[in-house]
Amino acid sequence: MKVLVPVKRVIDYNVKVRVKADGTGVDLANVKMSMNPFDEIAVEEAIRLKEAGKADEVIAVSIGVKQAQETLRTALAMGADRAILVVAADSVDQDIEPLAVAKILAKIVEEEQPGLVLCGKQAIDNDMNATGQMLSALLGWSQATFASEVDIDGDSAVVTREVDGGLQTIKVATPTIISVDLRLNEPRYASLPNIMKAKKKPLDEKTAADYGVDVTPRLEVVKTSEPSERAAGIMVGSVDELVEKLKEAGAV
Amino acid sequence: MAVLLLAEVNNGELAMDATAKAVTAAKALGDVTVLAAGASAAAAGDAAAKIDGVAKVLVAEDASLGHRLAEPTAALIVSLAGDYSHIVAPATTDAKNVMPRVAALLDVMVMSDVTAVVDADTFERPIYAGNAIQTVKSSDATKVITFRTSTFDAAGEGGSASVETVGAADNPGLSEWVEDKVAESDRPELTSAGIVVSGGRGVGSEEDFKIIEALADKLGAAVGASRAAVDSGYAPNDWQVGQTGKVVAPELYIAAGISGAIQHLAGMKDSKIIVAINKDEEAPIFQVADFGLVADLFEAVPALTEKLG
Ligand SMILES: Cc1cc2nc3c(=O)[nH]c(=O)nc-3n(C[C@H](O)[C@H](O)[C@H](O)COP(=O)(O)OP(=O)(O)OC[C@H]3O[C@@H](n4cnc5c(N)ncnc54)[C@H](O)[C@@H]3O)c2cc1C
Ligand SMILES: Cc1cc2nc3c(=O)[nH]c(=O)nc-3n(C[C@H](O)[C@H](O)[C@H](O)COP(=O)(O)OP(=O)(O)OC[C@H]3O[C@@H](n4cnc5c(N)ncnc54)[C@H](O)[C@@H]3O)c2cc1C
């Protein structure tokens, strides 16, 4: 079985993002970019399936700007076998919507015929939490989102999902799409020799046009603004003072 | 314009708070029809009919809709979609599972976690863990939206909408439910509680989380946790507050032993009053706190429990 892992290049989760003064977006010039943390977990899970003999090949895919190559090299260094870069934007300020990403991924699935797609539950830039579900709809496949435990067994998968009420376990028919949550595993670091090896692994470069997908956004970003700031608070010196302040504020 | 709103139904019961908050958001867009779907959903439908501003309720009862599996639920919504300009839901994990699937089947984009309605096509939503607010305008024929409930007040009760039944769509039969692990609790629900008391890694163990729970119980509050506390096994996953957990905006949020990472702040910084208890005066949580106390939580939290109430 082949496993396809879509990985997105996003602002590193440690970076404090700044909204551009003219309201056109977030400042992406000269900030550290990394693989979306959820996608690292998806790559790790795919590699573990291969190590357990349940998968033969792990293919990482990224859709976006040319620089997403670095993200794919990271996936290869972790242990993915090959990568596909779909260049669909020429500026880092141009993000591709989940619907368009899902349409491109659907074409790649048709070509590659994976038994499983492992993606992140959400990308930490746009927090849309949509791509996996959309891809599943386009393919008419089953979906198992927000996974914290995955057990692949022949033509089905048993997946435990993190939901509002606690945990839900479902059984889905394969091929399937699983979107991974943070507690599924702890991704490995790529070792130096593996980083070197990754440079030689195959990385195919395509364009959105190669797949005949129109990536024109359906959502126009009218403006991007700073969230409202909280008024400065005060430090209290003791539990007694805290209780007094809370009572004054009518909070308790 | 007409809006179809997917009600949050758990085991046949309406989750009133989440649904009524989404109704408030949806009312601005047109006449609201609520869809109550489940293995049993009639009681939930009757409850939804009483929410102010609901024009009509559709009840779909079918075994395939029992555990809100994405495939049959999305198929049902798509079968009804033709009559509506907007298809919306509260941004629960159930809706986030289903709505993007609905959107893709309709060949439209989804807008997740919307926090404000500007007009029928234009919406605000937080991005980058709430560090920026984006205003987006949709050119799609049908708008598919989940509303972040913490930013809308619940619509009142007192309505009396008509209730109709509708049939389920064909079940694609791609998935089946195995089991739920749901913690039973007498405490208020995290996302609707007036007060939330949260503990972080600083609490140190599952055993010591009891001091957080004791304060919560004294205040009639819900209990929350940071991701580090959940990852370390001190607290269950459904207590997690933050970018990837629940978003809360109670009257009072008390954070003990939580450093204040942006991913945690994303889930609680719209709370009315924030109290931070941390032994490190440099902890970033103090930057958003209305009242900060530099103290050892093992002394401060039990003392607070004793002195309050
Ligand atoms: C800088 C910036 C500029 C923007 N500009 C515009 C604009 O001009 N017009 C506009 O309409 N919208 C714009 N947007 C918004 C944007 O198009 C979508 O809202 C956004 O893509 C939301 O989805 P997500 O990336 O959060 O995906 P999610 O659905 O949250 O991602 C889930 C998972 O899907 C996979 N995935 C997602 N994207 C990719 C990818 N590209 N390659 C591989 N795998 C992927 C990953 O596994 C990921 O973990 C912009 C956004 C940003 C950050
Ligand atoms: C993609 C992604 C998503 C994430 N999503 C979330 C999310 O949804 N929610 C979330 O919470 N985090 C999330 N995180 C994790 C986040 O970045 C932080 O790691 C996490 O919030 C830290 O939890 P903490 O504050 O409990 O622990 P720490 O940062 O370790 O802080 C512990 C604090 O306790 C204090 N302390 C220790 N002992 C005591 C004592 N005796 N008395 C008083 N104070 C004490 C310390 O001074 C310290 O400030 C996410 C991270 C990533 C990468």
Side-chain angles (χ1 to χ4, degrees), chain A residues 41-184:
Chain A
I41 293 168
V43 173
E44 175 67 33
E45 195 66 16
I47 297 166
R48 289 188 191 184
L49 284 172
K50 192 179 167 192
E51 288 167 349
K54 292 187 173 181
D56 316 308
E57 192 182 28
V58 176
I59 309 163
V61 186
S62 194
I63 296 152
V65 289
K66 212 165 162 106
Q67 294 92 312
Q69 248 195 47
E70 297 157 22
T71 315
L72 288 170
R73 289 285 172 211
T74 306
L76 294 170
M78 286 174 73
D81 297 294
R82 62 188 168 93
I84 304 171
L85 170 65
V86 183
V87 179
D90 35 43
S91 150
V92 289
D93 289 322
Q94 192 188 348
D95 202 62
I96 311 298
E97 286 175 353
L99 181 62
V101 169
K103 285 181 178 177
I104 293 171
L105 291 173
K107 297 281 185 193
I108 295 175
V109 166
E110 266 172 39
E111 273 179 25
E112 299 283 351
Q113 300 283 320
L116 174 66
V117 178
L118 274 168
C119 68
K121 129 171 146 173
Q122 74 196 60
I124 60 162
D125 48 4
N126 281 293
D127 289 335
M128 199 64 101
N129 191 335
T131 306
Q133 296 91 311
M134 291 189 133
L135 175 60
S136 167
L138 297 177
L139 295 168
W141 286 10
S142 61
Q143 70 183 52
T145 52
F146 328 146
S148 63
E149 235 181 281
V150 172
D151 187 7
I152 309 275
D153 183 18
D155 47 12
S156 67
V158 175
V159 178
T160 299
R161 313 174 50 237
E162 293 205 0
V163 295
D164 287 339
L167 297 170
Q168 181 191 54
T169 304
I170 59 173
K171 186 172 173 183
V172 292
T174 53
T176 190
I177 298 191
I178 298 176
S179 88
V180 308
D181 217 319
L182 294 171
R183 276 175 279 276
L184 180 60

Side-chain angles (χ1 to χ4, degrees), chain A residues 19-26 221 223-224:
Chain A
V19 174
K20 285 189 204 162
D22 63 1
T24 56
V26 164
V221 179
K223 68 167 191 244
T224 305

Side-chain angles (χ1 to χ4, degrees), chain B residues 201 226-227 240-241 244 257 259 263-264 278-279 296-297:
Chain B
R201 196 195 319 260
S226 71
R227 175 188 167 195
Q240 183 173 316
V241 171
T244 49
S259 62
Q263 294 86 5
H264 187 79
N278 195 303
K279 66 178 182 189
D296 185 337
L297 71 91

